[in-house]
Amino acid sequence: MKWKLFCSTLLLAVAGVAAPASAKVEEIRLGYVDNIRDDHGEIVGGKHSGGNVEFDIVSSSPDFLNLIGSPRPYLMGSFATSDDGVNFGGFGLLWRWEFADGWAFEPGFGYILHDGEIDNPFADGTPEAAAFEAENQLLGSEDLFRTSFALEREFGDRFAAQLYWQHMSHGQILDSGRNQGLDYVGLRFSYRLDPDPAD
């Protein structure tokens, strides 16, 4: 396993396991995304059609994450709306910056798994199959990095809406430099369980 992938995964796993001990659930989110760009190859059947319904649970930031800007851990599930779609599930961290009254910008980074299947036109174990996978591999791997950016508008103390973009790509890209991945754009709504965490 690549060192960069291993270290990033280890960091997020520690955050996901340790967070419940010192954090509590703050938000529940529901959204819908649609695929606007595919990876370079025809790797996973069904990723081209339909959108996904996404569900997120966001907790408060545990104290040990203060060193990196107090991001909030999240768990997410993304469920295909078509029979041949791909489902995702994972965890990560969200940072939040308020830049105007009722407006915020929220970048995030995470790690996800999916249930897509490799659709390689060549026989397994052949040089052609290996070359095809090296050139096009992305969702052929069951684990992906997830980068997200959201623009949020609050509506009162408990409700907010976000326009968000997410990019999912395989860890090997860190070493190869290829800009492969899936890009999704969507809209989601959040409900804050504790509108004033200071109370």
Side-chain angles (χ1 to χ4, degrees):
M1 182 180 287
K2 307 281 187 194
W3 275 107
K4 293 177 184 177
L5 175 59
F6 175 77
C7 292
S8 299
T9 302
L10 181 61
L11 174 64
L12 292 176
V14 169
V17 170
S22 58
K24 61 180 181 178
V25 174
E26 283 187 345
E27 292 183 32
I28 295 175
R29 299 177 174 181
L30 182 65
Y32 178 83
V33 294
D34 214 329
N35 191 357
I36 62 170
R37 190 178 72 85
D38 300 323
D39 64 302
H40 294 323
E42 304 295 323
I43 300 297
V44 177
K47 71 178 183 295
H48 305 283
S49 60
N52 279 38
V53 173
E54 297 194 335
F55 182 75
D56 295 71
I57 298 174
V58 183
S59 78
S60 60
S61 180
D63 293 340
F64 74 92
L65 292 178
N66 291 347
L67 189 63
I68 57 172
S70 300
R72 298 184 298 160
Y74 71 84
L75 295 173
M76 66 86 67
S78 184
F79 307 99
T81 58
S82 59
D83 292 338
D84 58 354
V86 178
N87 304 298
F88 301 89
F91 59 92
L93 300 172
L94 297 170
W95 287 260
R96 179 182 171 83
W97 296 305
E98 296 182 5
F99 62 88
D101 185 27
W103 291 89
F105 176 65
E106 189 180 74
F109 181 76
Y111 176 79
I112 63 171
L113 300 174
H114 72 90
D115 64 357
E117 297 178 357
I118 296 176
D119 186 15
N120 193 320
F122 302 101
D124 291 343
T126 62
E128 293 82 6
F132 180 87
E133 199 165 305
E135 177 65 24
N136 301 288
Q137 173 83 348
L138 177 66
L139 288 182
S141 170
E142 292 183 351
D143 59 323
L144 303 170
F145 287 117
R146 179 183 187 237
T147 304
S148 61
F149 296 94
L151 177 65
E152 178 179 289
R153 173 61 176 160
E154 296 178 338
F155 299 99
D157 293 333
R158 290 189 178 270
F159 293 97
Q162 290 186 340
L163 178 64
Y164 71 111
W165 167 85
Q166 59 185 343
H167 174 79
M168 293 177 278
S169 58
H170 189 270
Q172 69 177 211
I173 294 172
L174 295 176
D175 292 321
S176 65
R178 294 195 300 273
N179 183 27
Q180 298 188 31
L182 290 176
D183 288 300
Y184 283 84
V185 169
L187 179 67
R188 67 182 166 208
F189 299 93
S190 67
Y191 176 75
R192 295 191 177 99
L193 302 176
D194 186 359
D196 189 358
D199 289 347

